[in-house]
Amino acid sequence: MLAVLPLSEVALLDAVRKQTALRYGRLRVWGSISFILANIGGGVWVATLSGASVPKVLAVLCALTACLGFFMRSGMELPGRLAATQRSAVKPLPQRLYVLLLGLAAINASHAVLNGFGPVLWTQQGFNASEIGWLTAASVFVEVYVFIKIGGASSPKQAFRFMLVGAVAGMARWALMTEVTGFFWVAGLQMLHALNYGLFHLGALAMVSTLAPVERRGRAQGLMSASNGLFYALVMLGAGPLVQHFGAGAYWAMVPCILCGLVLITLACRSNGSAA
């Protein structure tokens, strides 16, 4: 799956470039919708049937995905598929792209406390299972709205602004999560996921695509996925002890992650003339 996700993003972005009527977010939204349906369906499945059957269902779904990819392969041409004679002319990835990827990874890692321990903290605050389920679903619903409504960044400057707004929303979200305990207040903060993840993701993908040479976009997407995963895992390891000792106060540690990431992103975009 770690290899499939960045390659699917590259294929999707390439299709958007070739057909200007398409919008990335309005295609990517189906991933979020399927996530919602899988969570609902998976919950019902486990509640009514044996949980031991889940791996078999997942295996069948993976097989179906592989079959669909096999039948669609003739219509797909990933950027970066070059003849051997052309490979010597491939441009290296620019240094500012690596700076950008570090910034994106730092901001992505700021979700570690919520994703890893959010339900535990909410339970400690007195929320029941149903309320926790709604809080989790709410963030994905607003993410879907952003993907459908905005679709994608139309320029590097807009991509930078998307990331800036998303980063600021993230700092506000984590800072306030340390203090807010009422259900409706927490639900309101979950709405910031529309900016903190949805808008930020649209800007990040557009900027990575802008900075990477056409023939190296697949590699750039792969590096983004790998760096995001590495930073996320490291922050998650540190988040456990923080939650154990400080409870919801652990959210404060996510604010510096975003600040560091925002500085790196700004440096990368300024060197490209994208920040404004």
Side-chain angles (χ1 to χ4, degrees), residues 12 14 41 47 77-78 121 128-129 132 139 143 165 169 175 183 203 214 219 221 239 254 259 269 275:
L12 185 55
D14 189 48
E77 184 178 348
L78 290 176
L121 293 171
N128 59 42
I132 292 173
S139 62
E143 171 190 315
V165 172
F183 175 76
V214 174
R219 180 176 177 81
Q221 292 288 344
M254 302 299 99
L259 278 173
C269 292

Side-chain angles (χ1 to χ4, degrees), residues 61-73 76:
L61 292 175
C62 288
L64 290 174
T65 302
C67 291
L68 288 172
F70 178 81
F71 287 113
M72 293 175 64
R73 74 191 193 286
M76 295 178 65

Side-chain angles (χ1 to χ4, degrees), residues 85-256:
T85 56
Q86 295 177 287
R87 289 174 188 164
S88 60
V90 172
K91 297 179 181 178
L93 294 175
Q95 293 298 316
R96 61 179 177 269
L97 177 61
Y98 291 103
V99 176
L100 175 70
L101 293 179
L102 288 175
L104 297 178
I107 293 179
N108 177 72
S110 73
H111 291 83
V113 171
L114 178 67
N115 292 346
F117 306 97
V120 175
L121 293 171
W122 289 333
T123 299
Q124 292 174 354
Q125 292 171 0
F127 298 153
N128 59 42
S130 177
E131 289 173 328
I132 292 173
W134 278 109
L135 289 174
T136 303
S139 62
V140 184
F141 281 123
V142 294
E143 171 190 315
V144 167
Y145 175 79
V146 168
F147 284 158
I148 294 175
K149 186 70 175 178
I150 297 178
S154 59
S155 69
K157 287 187 177 181
Q158 188 179 56
F160 174 76
R161 289 167 186 158
F162 281 3
M163 291 187 289
L164 177 60
V165 172
V168 172
M171 287 188 284
R173 184 184 183 188
W174 306 138
L176 291 172
M177 286 285 266
T178 64
E179 306 295 335
V180 171
T181 56
F183 175 76
F184 290 105
W185 287 107
V186 174
L189 291 180
Q190 284 293 83
M191 298 298 102
L192 287 177
H193 189 77
L195 306 177
N196 183 204
Y197 175 78
L199 194 67
F200 184 85
H201 183 68
L202 293 178
L205 281 179
M207 190 58 70
V208 169
S209 181
T210 296
L211 295 184
V214 174
E215 67 276 6
R216 304 299 298 278
R217 283 174 180 154
R219 180 176 177 81
Q221 292 288 344
L223 286 172
M224 182 173 74
S225 179
S227 59
N228 282 350
L230 176 61
F231 273 60
Y232 187 86
L234 292 174
V235 174
M236 183 70 79
L237 286 174
L242 288 175
V243 170
Q244 183 178 6
H245 288 90
F246 302 106
Y251 283 114
W252 274 115
M254 302 299 99
V255 176

Side-chain angles (χ1 to χ4, degrees), residues 13-54:
L13 289 169
D14 189 48
V16 170
R17 287 188 202 94
K18 291 177 180 178
Q19 301 183 49
T20 56
L22 297 176
R23 299 291 282 171
Y24 167 84
R26 293 167 190 169
L27 299 174
R28 170 64 172 76
V29 70
W30 293 103
S32 300
I33 292 174
S34 65
F35 177 85
I36 295 172
L37 295 177
N39 273 270
I40 295 173
V44 173
W45 184 281
V46 172
T48 57
L49 300 172
S50 171
S53 62
V54 172

